[in-house]
Amino acid sequence: TLKQKSISNFFAKT
Amino acid sequence: MLEGKFDEASLLKKVIDAMKDSVKLCNFNCTENGISVQAIDDSRVLLISLLIEAGSFEDYRCDRNIVLGLEMESLNKIIKNGNASDMLTLVAEDSPDALNLIFEDKRRDRIAEYSLKLMDIDQDFLKIEDMKFDAVVNMPSAEFAKICRDMKTLSESLQIIITKDSVKFNSEGDFGSGSVVIKSFTDLEKTEESVRITLEKPINLTFGAKYLNDIIKSTPLASQVTIKLCDKQPALFEYQLPSGYLRFYLAPKFED
């Protein structure tokens, strides 16, 4: 099954 | 002080309409170059990046950087009170507690002025590096909107599969399935009707249909949408403004 990823997984906080 | 005059309120009306269902609170960062926003939806799946460059305004000045913390629903209520063809001027002091919006009709015999209270909004700011994409699709925004709406009737997920010269939108639902295939196409007379596919690697990605149906609320902003995709990376959906853009970064669904 596919899981919805969070956008925060891909971009670092500044 | 910020003073930005749009020749027509319609641009900001469309921008706010495109964003308001995805994000509730936004910091509008005003600099001498224009106004920018980065906002993430509550479920942290969709990131919105807006840039309205000074060139999108008839007149624009911003002496010092100003952050306007705005509640989108309240802003939308005020924006809706102005006519699309009105000139719209945004005014804020250097340390503002309110944003003033002035609507003037073109004959200048009617001026409506509103003041919107500002909020202190504490938001994460994500750093978006220059991303590398394996596929880029330019297509009519209205056609993309129809596909997203149609496919959502079948499933909460939409699969985008790109091979050499075609894009397949595929939806597998409980009661049935559906797909739409579009191919590269050049319309020399109506270039906005063209479909262009630039592919380095084939793509097979799945996205939440709900988010795509939020993104397509931007359709009135531009006749074309640019979709940039890379395996297991957020997709970028971009609508060009006269000077600037409204971008959506959407996290995909995939197996761990």
Side-chain angles (χ1 to χ4, degrees), chain B residues 31-248:
Chain B
T31 70
E32 59 178 355
N33 301 320
I35 299 178
S36 64
V37 176
Q38 187 192 95
I40 302 166
D41 86 305
D42 285 345
S43 58
R44 301 192 71 80
V45 168
L46 186 64
L47 182 148
I48 299 178
S49 176
L50 168 70
L51 175 63
I52 308 175
E53 288 177 321
S56 286
F57 294 84
E58 176 93 354
D59 292 309
Y60 183 85
R61 62 174 269 231
C62 183
D63 315 318
R64 288 192 191 160
N65 294 359
I66 301 173
V67 179
L68 305 171
L70 297 173
E71 209 264 314
M72 297 298 278
E73 198 50 56
S74 310
L75 175 60
N76 190 48
K77 282 178 185 166
I78 289 176
I79 289 270
K80 277 166 74 177
N81 292 345
N83 294 316
S85 61
D86 286 350
M87 285 190 288
L88 166 60
T89 308
L90 308 177
V91 181
E93 303 296 331
D94 278 344
S95 298
D97 49 22
L99 168 67
N100 294 313
L101 300 98
I102 302 150
F103 297 92
E104 296 172 75
D105 76 19
K106 292 277 161 61
R107 288 171 299 166
R108 299 194 182 236
D109 55 359
R110 177 179 172 276
I111 297 177
E113 190 165 349
Y114 296 88
S115 170
L116 175 61
K117 286 180 192 163
L118 300 180
M119 305 179 71
D120 245 336
I121 302 168
D122 187 21
Q123 273 177 338
D124 297 345
F125 197 85
L126 301 182
K127 186 167 169 54
I128 299 167
E129 310 274 354
D130 271 344
M131 294 169 71
K132 192 188 163 300
F133 294 101
D134 291 331
V136 178
V137 179
N138 294 280
M139 65 181 288
S141 58
E143 188 168 351
F144 177 62
K146 176 167 167 51
I147 291 168
C148 290
R149 282 195 299 268
D150 292 352
M151 293 294 105
K152 188 171 180 282
T153 61
L154 291 158
S155 167
E156 61 184 34
S157 292
L158 176 63
Q159 196 182 9
I160 301 179
I161 301 161
I162 309 181
T163 49
K164 194 166 168 283
D165 63 348
S166 72
V167 185
K168 183 178 185 181
F169 297 90
N170 193 47
S171 188
E172 307 275 342
D174 293 335
F175 66 86
S177 62
S179 68
V180 178
V181 175
I182 59 164
K183 297 197 168 181
S184 293
F185 164 75
T186 305
D187 189 324
L188 291 173
E189 293 198 348
K190 291 186 191 166
T191 50
E192 69 274 15
E193 294 292 317
S194 298
V195 175
R196 194 169 78 232
I197 301 165
T198 313
L199 186 69
E200 284 189 21
K201 278 186 201 162
I203 289 289
N204 186 342
L205 282 165
T206 301
F207 299 98
K210 169 199 181 297
Y211 301 103
L212 291 164
N213 277 265
D214 284 335
I215 291 169
I216 60 170
K217 288 167 187 163
S218 302
T219 305
L221 277 170
S223 58
Q224 285 253 319
V225 58
T226 303
I227 306 168
K228 299 183 178 183
L229 301 150
C230 186
D231 191 35
K232 294 188 176 174
Q233 293 293 322
L236 170 56
F237 300 85
E238 179 172 303
Y239 295 82
Q240 289 288 335
L241 305 185
S243 180
Y245 54 75
L246 182 57
R247 290 177 179 161
F248 297 86

Side-chain angles (χ1 to χ4, degrees), chain A residues 3-8 12 14, chain B residues 44 125 127 251-252 254 256:
Chain A
K3 273 180 73 179
Q4 175 66 65
K5 303 298 172 183
S6 163
I7 197 79
S8 335
T14 55
Chain B
R44 301 192 71 80
F125 197 85
K127 186 167 169 54
F254 55 83
D256 289 315

